[in-house]
Structures are given as structure tokens and as C-alpha cells.
Amino acid sequence: MLSISDLNKTYPNGTQALNNVNLEIGKGMFGLLGPNGAGKSTLMRTIATLQNADTGTVVFDGIDVFDAPDEQRRILGDLPQDFGVYPKVSAEMMLNHIAKIKGIQSKGDRASYVSDLLNKVNLYKFRKRNLGDYSGGMRQRFGIAQALIGNPKLIIVDEPTAGLDPLERNRFHNLLSELGEDAVVILSTHIVDDVVNLCTNMAVFNEGSVVVQGHPQELSNTLNGKVYRKKIRKEDTEKYQLEYTVLSTYLRSGNFNVNVYSDAHPGEGFEPVANDLEDFYFYSINQPQTV
Ligand code: ADP
């Protein structure tokens, strides 16, 4: 449904944010997982026609979106990292305004449409409250409501759960998973759990390029039997990094641990670890992480 071909973008300061990006994305939730600075937002903004690429094409349902940006915007629901909240406007007024812009002309239709949306994202009770007084989770849910106006066929969600508490995050995940039933939803994130919980397909993105694309479970299965854990002293971290392919270092039950990638058993004190998308992700971006 969404075909991205040979996309390149270098900013005027010389930063190459997209380096020959090719992706095929179908209906459902698609996770674009990559570290900060990988180029995810650049890609999202390009798909949303908010900025230009230097070369390449994005085709959605047969429409070349660079040739027909208005058409793309009509079918797009965009939930950017920071969607420019107007602090002194209530959620209800703001949604009403966006619905009008998106072509719902009758006042009565608009009112019931906005009420339905507010109910859907569980904000009806707070509809009169100014957006500036919303919590992080409420803002994210408001973001979903505004993205849903006009029944978009393509929904872009950029770093949605950064800064949300676990309860808000859970609620937000439930909402997102409903969207994937009928549209292409692209979730861009650096949080592995978001992809594990929500996405049927994914790509790892790093330094402007797609490193690998596939089903999250199948991708993590590729490391089957090749990840080992050991309790170590924190001060030995560097030594291990020199000697092994370290995927991550982390605290577990008060102990410092290292996870390494190895084709064979790496030696005394190491124990095998079950497959995990986080290990796969760190392996594919090839940078040891402290988690
Ligand atoms: P991500 O969303 O994965 O964190 P971005 O797309 O925001 O990545 O950024 C990719 C790279 O492009 C980074 O090195 C960033 O500093 C750079 N970058 C992003 N926007 C601009 C811009 N407007 N001008 C110059 N460099 C930019």
C-alpha cells in the first residue's frame, strides 16, 4: 500500500538524514525503530509531504504523493512528536476547528462527530479543559483524536510514548492497536517495547538507512541461541567490550549484567538468554547500549 523507493535527503548543513531508503508497508501497525538521530522524523515528515526529499518516490495506494501532496494530506492522519497545542483552546473547540478544515461542514454533524471522537479517546469528560492543562497522556490521546478526523488511510505516529507513565502508555497502546485494523499505521520510536507490543511488521532504521525489515518475532528469532548473559563488575565493562560483541549492559535485581552476541558459548559464567527484540535491535544497530 505504501511504497517508498530510493529516498534521499541531505540537509543544507550537509547532514545526510535519508540514505537510499526503500520500504514496502502494508495495512496494520508498522514499527520504525531506530536511535535518536537515525532519520525517523525526517522520513515521517517526508511521507506526510511536510518536507521534500532530494530524490526518490513515495507512492500510497497508487498515488505518487510528491505529485499530489493535497491528496496525500487528505488521506493522512499525522500525530507528530509535538503537534503544536494551542494552550488556551479546549479540546472540543480544537477538534471542531480541525473537523471544519477537513470538510465536515454541517455544525450538527460536526458536534456529534467530535463527541464520538472524544469518547473514543476517553477525553469526553475533559472536553472543556484547555489543552495547555492536559497531562502528557491526555495530549497524546488528543493527538490521536485529531489524527483520526476524516478517517485517514495512512496514520503516522512519531515517538508517541516518550514521557508517558506506564498506565497512560498502556491506554495509548490500546487505542493505537485499534487504528491498525483499517489503515496503514507507521509508528516511529526508539522504544523497543512499543514495537513488541503493537507491531506486526517493522524495520530497524539507523544512520538514514533501513538496516533490516521483517516480523518482530522472526527477526528476534534470528539470534536464537546466540545471546548470552553474565553478571559482571561494572568497572569491567570496558574489558568485556573489547573482548566480546556486547549488546547491552544493564542492572538486574541489583546486579550488573552484560549481554553478548556469540556464535559459540563465550565461556565461564555466561548463560544463554531467550530471544528478545531488544537484543536483536542492539545487534542490528551495532552499538552497545546501557539499558
Ligand atoms: P530521528 O527522528 O530518528 O531522531 P531526525 O530525522 O530528527 O532523526 O534527524 C536525522 C538527522 O538529521 C540528525 O542528525 C539531525 O540532527 C539532522 N536534522 C534533522 N532535522 C534537521 C534540519 N532541519 N537541519 C539540519 N539537520 C537536521
Side-chain angles (χ1 to χ4, degrees), residues 11-13 15-18 34-43 45 51 81 158-159 188 205:
Y11 285 112
N13 67 0
T15 306
Q16 187 173 17
L18 301 178
N36 288 330
K40 303 183 297 298
S41 294
T42 301
L43 181 59
R45 287 196 302 264
Q51 73 178 54
Q81 251 165 338
D158 199 0
E159 295 284 1
S188 136
F205 202 65

Short mmCIF file of all heavy atoms in Angstrom, two decimals, residues 11-13 15-18 34-43 45 51 81 158-159 188 205, ligand 1:
data_model
loop_
_atom_site.label_atom_id
_atom_site.label_comp_id
_atom_site.label_asym_id
_atom_site.label_seq_id
_atom_site.Cartn_x
_atom_site.Cartn_y
_atom_site.Cartn_z
N TYR A 11 20.40 17.57 4.41
CA TYR A 11 20.05 18.93 4.83
C TYR A 11 21.12 19.91 4.36
O TYR A 11 22.28 19.51 4.11
CB TYR A 11 19.90 18.98 6.36
CG TYR A 11 18.62 18.34 6.84
CD1 TYR A 11 18.63 17.15 7.58
CD2 TYR A 11 17.39 18.94 6.58
CE1 TYR A 11 17.45 16.57 8.01
CE2 TYR A 11 16.20 18.35 7.01
CZ TYR A 11 16.24 17.17 7.73
OH TYR A 11 15.07 16.60 8.15
N PRO A 12 20.76 21.19 4.26
CA PRO A 12 21.73 22.18 3.76
C PRO A 12 23.05 22.20 4.55
O PRO A 12 24.09 22.53 4.00
CB PRO A 12 20.98 23.52 3.93
CG PRO A 12 19.54 23.16 3.90
CD PRO A 12 19.44 21.78 4.49
N ASN A 13 23.01 21.79 5.82
CA ASN A 13 24.26 21.78 6.61
C ASN A 13 25.12 20.54 6.33
O ASN A 13 26.13 20.31 6.98
CB ASN A 13 23.96 21.88 8.11
CG ASN A 13 23.24 20.65 8.64
OD1 ASN A 13 22.96 19.70 7.91
ND2 ASN A 13 22.94 20.64 9.93
N THR A 15 24.16 17.28 6.64
CA THR A 15 23.73 16.04 7.29
C THR A 15 22.89 15.20 6.34
O THR A 15 21.85 15.67 5.85
CB THR A 15 22.86 16.34 8.54
OG1 THR A 15 23.58 17.21 9.40
CG2 THR A 15 22.48 15.07 9.29
N GLN A 16 23.34 13.99 6.08
CA GLN A 16 22.53 13.10 5.24
C GLN A 16 21.57 12.33 6.14
O GLN A 16 21.96 11.40 6.84
CB GLN A 16 23.41 12.12 4.45
CG GLN A 16 22.57 11.33 3.46
CD GLN A 16 23.36 10.48 2.51
OE1 GLN A 16 24.53 10.19 2.74
NE2 GLN A 16 22.72 10.03 1.43
N ALA A 17 20.32 12.75 6.14
CA ALA A 17 19.33 12.17 7.05
C ALA A 17 18.67 10.93 6.45
O ALA A 17 18.24 10.04 7.19
CB ALA A 17 18.28 13.20 7.42
N LEU A 18 18.55 10.86 5.12
CA LEU A 18 18.00 9.67 4.46
C LEU A 18 18.96 9.21 3.39
O LEU A 18 19.40 10.01 2.55
CB LEU A 18 16.63 9.99 3.82
CG LEU A 18 15.53 10.48 4.76
CD1 LEU A 18 14.26 10.79 3.97
CD2 LEU A 18 15.24 9.47 5.86
N GLY A 34 14.49 2.98 15.70
CA GLY A 34 15.86 3.46 15.49
C GLY A 34 16.26 4.44 16.58
O GLY A 34 15.40 5.04 17.21
N PRO A 35 17.57 4.60 16.78
CA PRO A 35 18.03 5.51 17.83
C PRO A 35 17.74 6.97 17.48
O PRO A 35 17.43 7.28 16.32
CB PRO A 35 19.54 5.25 17.90
CG PRO A 35 19.90 4.67 16.58
CD PRO A 35 18.68 3.96 16.06
N ASN A 36 17.89 7.85 18.44
CA ASN A 36 17.73 9.27 18.16
C ASN A 36 18.73 9.69 17.10
O ASN A 36 19.88 9.26 17.11
CB ASN A 36 17.96 10.10 19.43
CG ASN A 36 16.81 9.93 20.41
OD1 ASN A 36 15.67 9.71 19.99
ND2 ASN A 36 17.10 10.01 21.69
N GLY A 37 18.26 10.49 16.17
CA GLY A 37 19.15 10.99 15.12
C GLY A 37 19.23 10.06 13.92
O GLY A 37 19.94 10.35 12.95
N ALA A 38 18.51 8.94 13.94
CA ALA A 38 18.59 7.97 12.85
C ALA A 38 17.98 8.51 11.55
O ALA A 38 18.33 8.05 10.46
CB ALA A 38 17.88 6.68 13.24
N GLY A 39 17.05 9.44 11.68
CA GLY A 39 16.38 9.99 10.49
C GLY A 39 14.90 9.66 10.43
O GLY A 39 14.24 9.91 9.41
N LYS A 40 14.37 9.13 11.53
CA LYS A 40 12.96 8.69 11.54
C LYS A 40 12.01 9.87 11.28
O LYS A 40 11.11 9.77 10.47
CB LYS A 40 12.62 8.02 12.88
CG LYS A 40 13.51 6.84 13.24
CD LYS A 40 13.07 6.18 14.53
CE LYS A 40 13.18 7.07 15.76
NZ LYS A 40 14.54 7.52 16.09
N SER A 41 12.25 10.96 12.01
CA SER A 41 11.33 12.10 11.84
C SER A 41 11.42 12.68 10.44
O SER A 41 10.39 13.08 9.87
CB SER A 41 11.65 13.22 12.85
OG SER A 41 11.40 12.76 14.15
N THR A 42 12.61 12.69 9.90
CA THR A 42 12.78 13.18 8.53
C THR A 42 11.94 12.32 7.58
O THR A 42 11.22 12.85 6.72
CB THR A 42 14.27 13.13 8.13
OG1 THR A 42 15.01 13.93 9.05
CG2 THR A 42 14.47 13.66 6.71
N LEU A 43 12.02 11.01 7.75
CA LEU A 43 11.25 10.11 6.90
C LEU A 43 9.74 10.33 7.09
O LEU A 43 9.00 10.41 6.11
CB LEU A 43 11.63 8.65 7.22
CG LEU A 43 10.94 7.58 6.41
CD1 LEU A 43 11.20 7.75 4.92
CD2 LEU A 43 11.39 6.18 6.85
N ARG A 45 8.19 13.01 8.16
CA ARG A 45 7.77 14.31 7.59
C ARG A 45 7.73 14.26 6.07
O ARG A 45 6.89 14.90 5.44
CB ARG A 45 8.72 15.43 8.05
CG ARG A 45 8.53 15.82 9.52
CD ARG A 45 9.20 17.16 9.83
NE ARG A 45 10.62 17.15 9.53
CZ ARG A 45 11.58 16.92 10.44
NH1 ARG A 45 11.25 16.71 11.70
NH2 ARG A 45 12.85 16.94 10.09
N GLN A 51 7.88 17.94 4.14
CA GLN A 51 9.15 18.40 3.59
C GLN A 51 9.53 17.56 2.37
O GLN A 51 8.99 16.47 2.17
CB GLN A 51 10.25 18.40 4.66
CG GLN A 51 10.75 17.03 5.06
CD GLN A 51 11.87 17.15 6.09
OE1 GLN A 51 11.73 17.79 7.13
NE2 GLN A 51 13.00 16.53 5.80
N GLN A 81 5.56 14.45 16.85
CA GLN A 81 6.11 14.48 18.20
C GLN A 81 5.50 15.62 19.01
O GLN A 81 5.14 15.47 20.15
CB GLN A 81 7.61 14.74 18.10
CG GLN A 81 8.43 13.55 18.45
CD GLN A 81 9.87 13.73 17.97
OE1 GLN A 81 10.18 14.52 17.08
NE2 GLN A 81 10.74 13.00 18.58
N ASP A 158 4.67 9.66 15.58
CA ASP A 158 6.11 9.87 15.79
C ASP A 158 6.43 9.91 17.29
O ASP A 158 5.94 10.79 17.99
CB ASP A 158 6.52 11.18 15.11
CG ASP A 158 8.01 11.26 14.88
OD1 ASP A 158 8.73 10.31 15.26
OD2 ASP A 158 8.47 12.28 14.33
N GLU A 159 7.23 8.97 17.78
CA GLU A 159 7.68 8.92 19.19
C GLU A 159 6.53 9.14 20.17
O GLU A 159 6.57 10.05 20.98
CB GLU A 159 8.74 10.00 19.43
CG GLU A 159 10.02 9.82 18.66
CD GLU A 159 10.92 8.74 19.24
OE1 GLU A 159 10.55 8.12 20.24
OE2 GLU A 159 11.99 8.52 18.65
N SER A 188 6.82 5.50 14.70
CA SER A 188 8.26 5.71 14.75
C SER A 188 8.69 5.87 16.20
O SER A 188 8.09 6.64 16.94
CB SER A 188 8.58 6.94 13.91
OG SER A 188 9.48 7.77 14.55
N PHE A 205 15.97 1.16 11.67
CA PHE A 205 16.45 2.29 10.89
C PHE A 205 17.64 2.88 11.61
O PHE A 205 17.59 3.12 12.82
CB PHE A 205 15.31 3.30 10.83
CG PHE A 205 15.40 4.26 9.69
CD1 PHE A 205 15.29 3.82 8.39
CD2 PHE A 205 15.57 5.62 9.92
CE1 PHE A 205 15.36 4.71 7.34
CE2 PHE A 205 15.64 6.52 8.88
CZ PHE A 205 15.53 6.06 7.57
P1 ADP B 1 15.21 10.91 14.48
O1 ADP B 1 13.78 11.29 14.29
O2 ADP B 1 15.49 9.48 14.17
O3 ADP B 1 15.73 11.31 15.83
P2 ADP B 1 15.82 13.10 12.64
O4 ADP B 1 15.13 12.83 11.34
O5 ADP B 1 15.18 14.09 13.56
O6 ADP B 1 16.09 11.72 13.39
O7 ADP B 1 17.31 13.61 12.34
C1 ADP B 1 18.20 12.90 11.48
C2 ADP B 1 19.49 13.71 11.36
O8 ADP B 1 19.23 14.91 10.64
C3 ADP B 1 20.07 14.13 12.70
O9 ADP B 1 21.48 14.12 12.57
C4 ADP B 1 19.57 15.55 12.87
O10 ADP B 1 20.46 16.30 13.68
C5 ADP B 1 19.54 16.04 11.44
N1 ADP B 1 18.49 17.04 11.19
C6 ADP B 1 17.16 16.90 11.43
N2 ADP B 1 16.49 18.00 11.02
C7 ADP B 1 17.42 18.85 10.51
C8 ADP B 1 17.35 20.14 9.91
N3 ADP B 1 16.20 20.79 9.75
N4 ADP B 1 18.52 20.71 9.50
C9 ADP B 1 19.69 20.05 9.65
N5 ADP B 1 19.83 18.83 10.19
C10 ADP B 1 18.71 18.22 10.62
#
